[in-house]
Amino acid sequence: KLFLIVIVDSLVHWADLEPVPQDDGPNPVVKIAYSEKFSDVYDYFRALLKKDERSDRAFALTAEAIELNAANYTVWHYRRVLLQALQKDLREEMRYITDIIEEQPKNYQVWHHRRMVVEWLNDPSEELEFIADILSQDAKNYHAWQHRQWVIQEYKLWDNELEFVEKLLEEDVRNNSVWNQRHFVISHTTGYSSPAILDREVQYCLNQIRKAPHNESAWNYLKGILQDRGMSSHPGLLEQVLELKETHCSPYLLAFLVDCYEDALENNNQKETLNRALEVCEYLAQEKDTIRKEYWLFLQRSLESRFGPSAASGEPLADGTEPPAGQQELS
Amino acid sequence: MNAPEKVLEEFEQIDFLRDRHVRFFQRTLQVLPERYASLETTRLTVMFFAVSGLDVLDALDVIDRNNMIEWIYSLQVLPTEDQSNLSRCGFRGSSHIGIPYSVKGPGVLHPYDSGHVAMTYTGLTSLLILGDDLSRVNKQACLAGLKALQLEDGSFCAVPEGSENDIRFIYCAACICYMLDDWSGMDIQKAIEYIRGSMSYDNGFGQGAGLESHGGWTFCAIASLCLMGRLEEALSQRELDRIRRWCIMRQQSGFHGRPNKPVDTCYSFWVGATLELLDVFQYTNYEKNRNYILSTQDRLVGGFAKWPDSHPDPLHAYLGLCGLSLIGEPNLRKVHPALNITQRAFQHLQQLQQTWRDNAGTCT
């Protein structure tokens, strides 16, 4: 019965249109074998497109075309043209795009379409809840996080985001997307320049590390917020890390340690510091991160060359910079 | 009793099935079933994966290069008689708009016909791989179309009608300018600013400022800067060392794209090529990488998948091969890590560009 309805429908509603088939010429490449139904929808779509017809039947057809291939960006663009030309109800469009994204959350076109509709409505009020729902199904969906950052930044919806971040970190402290969002929120609100905030974040990291030591995301965040703010001069940090080394060791902890020593060496080239750094590299290479053995040995050689005895010769380094003032012996 | 059998079984598990992959790409170039409908607008990129894959396998002789070259040229959006569509020129991903087949101009006026930056990029690379001399490419039109896609912040959209904008399309744009040997199609300085702005606190690159760092976007960032010849101008030695560290930490067995995510065959190229461009790929663990990639090999239909025991697809099949090529797998052609074509195709490009320069010299 449905089949007959479709036939009658096309005879009645589309009779004036000459369908336009795809034309790949004599030697098509990567040809997709479409069913008749699929081709029919798109043959009529192409006909409408050619005329740039602005009508309800065109608008209805875009929904059919999208259902068959939601990645066709031309269909979405044409639908947006029609939404505006026909003054369609954008609230209804929000409901429509919500359903489609729930079905196909990893498609670029659907998220772009949603962004356009939100912009036209100038109404982000549904966004945070909607994105939270998508993230509840896949907490690392890149599109969802991207849309979330856009909404927050565009409409200044920063207020509750840190709370959202903390909730998600409680659910999965290893979710790298959430750590990234933490940095996004703080850097755009309070920033990290105040010692109080910086220290709060450092302690937060260390606490999360105590709970889940083998977590690259936490260590990357810790290093990230400190790397240009004096890693080796943050009070008490090195001590805390050395303490954690005994009970909560990981390749990330050890790499962080190397970076601390490197930072210290840049400000004050001490033989003892260099030796510690070289030792940790050796430990990583031979025991704790053997997959990257060659890299840790390379880093070891690089540190030796930059800060070791030969560096005191005053010869410029490979990158053209001067080596730090000659190595100092501990008295 | 079991030892020799076990050794044989292990060997079978990790051997590279060249002929299966050749056939996989051949079938890709022919017909795909309807369930691949979502690839319609990107068919040219799928062709690139297959054609470049065959090139890496040194098996281009199995296809009809001339017919394929014609099909690619039929996808070129050429200027109309009155040149009113210059900012929309480039290459289409497929015939989905319904323009009648034609390999020459002038262009057809159509309200919705325009190029797509990733299709212009893969159209040009595919032509090069197939041995074409690009003489039928309207280079000025392509560059005009490209210029129209760059935004104030330095990133690019994919199509002039509008689309999302991010670092992927900067990479496509850089490849186009590099191949056409003409950087008038983009504002390099702005692009560099966008790239720098995409560097995350953890020293990888996201799709744009503030976004999570990711192996694919990091490749786009570094490869673009290399193609522009601006790597060391845009990034300090300290930054480069930090990026090296971020990238090398992606190796788990094979590589993943983000911390705490599962490994995926394609990152053996995205991250591997980035490491190669940064001179530290040599410090990765080749054996573990190889074992992972081969564990995703489909022994029946050929190709590679993102994970073991998953369905192969052209993208992972191609990038899996490229990942193996980076570690020096025997009988695979070497791949240019920034342009993502074989060194053989790259040399063809270099010869072409020399010819263009020579001809330009004799024109005055």
Side-chain angles (χ1 to χ4, degrees), chain B residues 151-214:
Chain B
L151 302 178
E152 258 311 298
D153 67 1
S155 69
F156 282 75
C157 281
V159 292
E161 297 80 66
S163 75
E164 70 277 14
N165 61 291
D166 56 60
I167 207 169
R168 293 172 293 158
F169 305 133
I170 296 183
Y171 173 69
C172 295
C175 287
I176 292 166
C177 291
Y178 187 90
M179 285 187 279
L180 297 181
D181 201 11
D182 188 333
W183 292 87
S184 68
M186 66 189 291
D187 183 326
I188 293 183
Q189 208 41 57
K190 286 210 172 115
I192 291 176
E193 274 160 34
Y194 187 90
I195 292 173
R196 280 195 58 84
S198 303
M199 198 162 42
S200 162
Y201 62 87
D202 69 2
N203 307 308
F205 289 82
Q207 206 168 18
L211 292 169
E212 188 185 3
S213 59
H214 179 289

Side-chain angles (χ1 to χ4, degrees), chain B residues 72-96:
Chain B
I72 299 172
Y73 275 117
S74 78
L75 298 174
Q76 187 173 193
V77 179
L78 288 162
T80 52
E81 292 270 17
D82 63 356
Q83 311 242 321
S84 57
N85 68 336
L86 278 182
S87 63
R88 290 160 56 188
C89 289
F91 282 74
R92 309 173 189 100
S94 80
S95 55
H96 71 275

Side-chain angles (χ1 to χ4, degrees), chain A residues 249-285:
Chain A
C249 201
S250 70
Y252 319 115
L253 182 149
L254 295 168
F256 185 86
L257 215 46
V258 174
D259 296 334
C260 276
Y261 291 139
E262 186 184 8
D263 187 72
L265 287 165
E266 281 178 3
N267 297 306
N268 182 8
N269 189 346
Q270 300 272 355
K271 184 175 176 190
E272 184 53 39
T273 312
L274 176 61
N275 284 341
R276 286 185 189 141
L278 299 179
E279 249 168 50
V280 179
C281 286
E282 190 69 23
Y283 189 39
L284 280 161

Side-chain angles (χ1 to χ4, degrees), chain A residues 74-309:
Chain A
T74 308
V75 179
W76 283 107
H77 171 64
Y78 184 48
R79 186 179 175 89
R80 283 191 288 276
V81 167
L82 293 168
L83 277 169
Q84 297 192 296
L86 304 174
Q87 307 251 306
K88 297 304 258 186
D89 181 347
L90 294 180
R91 299 275 165 206
E92 193 168 332
E93 189 68 3
M94 281 296 289
R95 287 192 285 276
Y96 172 72
I97 195 63
T98 295
D99 287 345
I100 305 252
I101 295 177
E102 293 277 356
E103 287 163 29
Q104 306 189 50
K106 294 203 172 184
N107 165 315
Y108 280 95
Q109 288 71 40
V110 300
W111 286 98
H112 177 69
H113 188 76
R114 188 185 181 94
R115 179 166 153 163
M116 296 302 295
V117 179
V118 168
E119 278 181 351
W120 289 342
L121 283 169
N122 199 31
D123 177 9
S125 62
E126 294 175 23
E127 296 318 278
L128 295 182
E129 190 177 327
F130 168 70
I131 301 163
D133 184 67
I134 297 291
L135 289 174
S136 72
Q137 297 162 53
D138 174 2
K140 302 184 183 185
N141 183 321
Y142 205 93
H143 304 274
W145 284 110
Q146 188 164 21
H147 189 74
R148 195 174 182 89
Q149 285 197 358
W150 169 73
V151 164
I152 288 174
Q153 197 154 17
E154 189 70 19
Y155 297 98
K156 303 181 179 18
L157 301 173
W158 303 99
D159 288 355
N160 300 314
E161 193 63 3
L162 190 56
E163 190 185 322
F164 181 70
V165 161
E166 306 234 311
K167 178 168 88 80
L168 287 187
L169 283 177
E170 265 166 59
E171 287 171 27
D172 179 7
V173 73
R174 292 184 181 81
N175 186 329
N176 196 67
S177 309
V178 186
W179 283 97
N180 182 74
Q181 191 74 348
R182 188 181 185 93
H183 189 273
F184 174 72
V185 172
I186 294 177
S187 56
H188 281 95
T189 52
T190 57
Y192 290 93
S193 8
S194 100
I197 301 278
L198 194 58
D199 209 62
R200 180 196 79 193
E201 291 301 296
V202 169
Q203 289 315 312
Y204 180 83
C205 274
L206 295 175
N207 287 339
Q208 301 315 315
I209 286 163
R210 285 184 187 98
K211 286 190 244 167
H214 199 88
N215 182 2
E216 190 189 347
S217 300
W219 283 105
N220 283 357
Y221 183 86
L222 183 61
K223 175 172 149 184
I225 62 178
L226 290 172
Q227 67 188 356
D228 292 317
R229 297 187 176 95
M231 251 173 111
S232 59
S233 56
H234 195 86
L237 178 63
L238 187 58
E239 288 70 26
Q240 285 192 74
V241 174
L242 287 169
E243 214 177 282
L244 279 174
K245 180 166 168 282
E246 300 314 305
T247 48
H248 295 73
C249 201
S250 70
Y252 319 115
L253 182 149
L254 295 168
F256 185 86
L257 215 46
V258 174
D259 296 334
C260 276
Y261 291 139
E262 186 184 8
D263 187 72
L265 287 165
E266 281 178 3
N267 297 306
N268 182 8
N269 189 346
Q270 300 272 355
K271 184 175 176 190
E272 184 53 39
T273 312
L274 176 61
N275 284 341
R276 286 185 189 141
L278 299 179
E279 249 168 50
V280 179
C281 286
E282 190 69 23
Y283 189 39
L284 280 161
Q286 306 301 347
E287 292 189 49
K288 300 298 277 186
D289 196 26
T290 55
I291 195 172
R292 271 167 281 278
K293 174 180 178 177
E294 298 306 323
Y295 171 75
W296 295 118
L297 294 177
F298 157 73
L299 194 63
Q300 206 183 41
R301 292 193 297 274
S302 165
L303 289 168
E304 176 78 60
S305 145
R306 283 170 64 202
F307 301 108

